[in-house]
Amino acid sequence: MNLLPNEAIDSIEGLSGIHAGYRRAHARGVCYRATFHPSGEAASMTTAAHLQGGQLDAIVRFSGSSTDPALADLLSPAKGMAVQFQIPGGKTTCLVGVTVPVFFARTPESFLDLVRAVHKARAGHLSMLDIFKEVAEHFSESKESLLAVKRLLPPASYATNRYYAIHAYYLAGPDGSTRPVKFEWLPDAGLETLSLKEAASKPTEYLEQEMQERLLRGPASFSLSIILGEDEDPTNDSTQAWPDHRERIHAGRLDIHEAIKEPSGLVMDPTSVVPGVELSDDPILLFRRAAYNESYRRRSIGT
Ligand code: HEM
């Protein structure tokens, strides 16, 4: 079966209905003006313009993962951090990360099966916990991702999470070499979470408010880590993490300065790579461009 982006977006819309004008996933979010300062440490491995030297402008969008823009921050456990690097000359490239290291589906088709299983479980009025159990039982590939979500505690801030771009990419170097890599953002402020009780006493949109206060004191910063894959690390399976001890390179620092209105036409497309970065053979990664464009098409016409 070859899944069409339309079918994927229809199925996502079935989770919490249509919220006109919003993204079909990660519906509520806030955009920020940022600057990226590449360390130059990756320059021998990639010709990518944003990983050389100098300073670039960037847009960051933090989000909750829910399809429902009204859902309280506490109730959508995984958070997103999407970064659009603005390369001099007008090109852009994106890295889109979440707070869990693996995805719950290996292929677009199993993504659809899973979303449909959740529809069914909801129609049968199963509790969230039972939906988790049901999915874990029937979709063994989703187990790691579900466990990772279950382990998540509410973040103290959008600026105190580690964000994983999940998919493998390839870096193409000036000498013609290519190597598989993954990307992660590590917060300079360290990892900080809240207990469920603490988070329950916070306002619905506490993460946005916390960022507003934090940024008055100075930029919120993240380090970009590039993880170097070995021959045995899968590049086509988002449900499998690479071993923790793989070599890492500090590729640069991102400083987030202030909240901004979302620029019109913004689509954080994880396949929008520039020369020096290549897409892997991960079918989920390759499907995302069409799905995100379909979501953008719908939200931009106000449906
Ligand atoms: C088949 C797999 C997937 C589908 C169908 C899907 C679908 C979507 C859709 C429709 C949007 C809204 C796009 C827009 O209107 O601009 C979105 C946003 C997002 N997705 Fe996915 N997604 C998938 C996989 C993933 C994965 C693997 C990650 C983890 C890195 C991820 C993280 C995000 C984030 C962080 C956003 C918010 C981007 C922003 O702030 O603009 N998604 N996704």
Side-chain angles (χ1 to χ4, degrees):
M1 175 177 112
N2 251 346
L3 179 63
L4 298 171
N6 244 330
E7 291 175 83
I9 302 301
D10 287 346
S11 77
I12 299 174
E13 285 179 350
L15 292 172
S16 71
I18 296 175
H19 304 282
Y22 284 90
R23 282 167 174 71
R24 271 28 186 185
H26 291 259
R28 192 170 78 241
V30 189
C31 289
Y32 297 88
R33 181 180 70 78
T35 44
F36 183 64
H37 308 261
S39 67
E41 280 179 42
S44 63
M45 292 177 196
T46 175
T47 55
H50 61 302
L51 298 175
Q52 305 301 309
Q55 174 185 315
L56 290 99
D57 290 335
I59 294 169
V60 177
R61 183 174 180 271
F62 287 114
S63 57
S65 53
S66 176
T67 56
D68 178 356
L71 199 72
D73 286 341
L74 170 65
L75 299 175
S76 79
K79 306 298 176 200
M81 174 178 170
V83 181
Q84 185 193 65
F85 301 88
Q86 297 175 338
I87 294 170
K91 277 194 183 158
T92 60
T93 182
C94 294
L95 268 182
V96 184
V98 285
T99 48
V100 286
V102 285
F103 195 52
F104 56 81
R106 192 178 293 142
T107 63
E109 290 72 26
S110 61
F111 171 86
L112 185 67
D113 288 345
L114 267 149
V115 176
R116 286 186 174 154
V118 175
H119 289 175
K120 251 171 89 184
R122 282 198 174 165
H125 303 289
L126 295 188
S127 70
M128 208 53 204
L129 196 65
D130 287 333
I131 295 176
F132 259 54
K133 277 190 194 146
E134 182 108 341
V135 167
E137 218 166 86
H138 292 97
F139 297 89
S140 57
E141 71 192 54
S142 312
K143 239 185 189 146
E144 277 312 309
S145 163
L146 293 180
L147 285 173
V149 171
K150 216 172 143 194
R151 278 194 293 266
L152 284 176
L153 279 171
S157 167
Y158 276 133
T160 59
N161 294 308
R162 177 172 175 174
Y163 293 90
Y164 306 83
I166 294 187
H167 306 290
Y169 291 82
Y170 288 94
L171 292 186
D175 59 355
S177 63
T178 56
R179 64 170 76 213
V181 295
K182 287 193 178 189
F183 296 95
E184 276 178 32
W185 291 107
L186 299 170
D188 284 6
L191 303 175
E192 199 188 336
T193 52
L194 302 176
S195 68
L196 287 173
K197 200 170 158 202
E198 283 169 318
S201 68
K202 301 260 180 200
T204 310
E205 301 184 3
Y206 77 91
L207 289 171
E208 186 178 339
Q209 291 174 16
E210 194 280 340
M211 279 300 279
Q212 221 168 350
E213 288 157 23
R214 179 179 290 266
L215 295 180
L216 291 176
R217 302 192 295 271
S221 303
F222 284 83
S223 293
L224 178 61
S225 258
I226 296 183
I227 296 132
L228 307 182
E230 303 275 338
D231 284 348
E232 63 268 34
D233 297 335
T235 54
N236 63 352
D237 188 348
S238 308
T239 67
Q240 281 190 53
W242 290 355
D244 270 343
H245 54 269
R246 289 286 177 257
E247 190 182 341
R248 287 169 176 264
I249 288 180
H250 166 68
R253 190 189 78 243
L254 182 77
D255 289 338
I256 299 170
H257 301 288
E258 60 181 348
I260 52 169
K261 189 169 166 276
E262 176 162 348
S264 71
L266 183 70
V267 180
M268 296 290 198
D269 172 3
T271 70
S272 63
V273 290
V274 285
V277 182
E278 293 169 8
L279 301 178
S280 66
D281 48 349
D282 180 339
I284 290 286
L285 173 62
L286 300 176
F287 183 71
R288 286 173 70 187
R289 171 176 293 186
Y292 286 33
N293 284 342
E294 178 56 17
S295 169
Y296 175 70
R297 190 190 66 74
R298 293 185 193 194
R299 65 182 163 90
S300 63
I301 55 170
T303 58

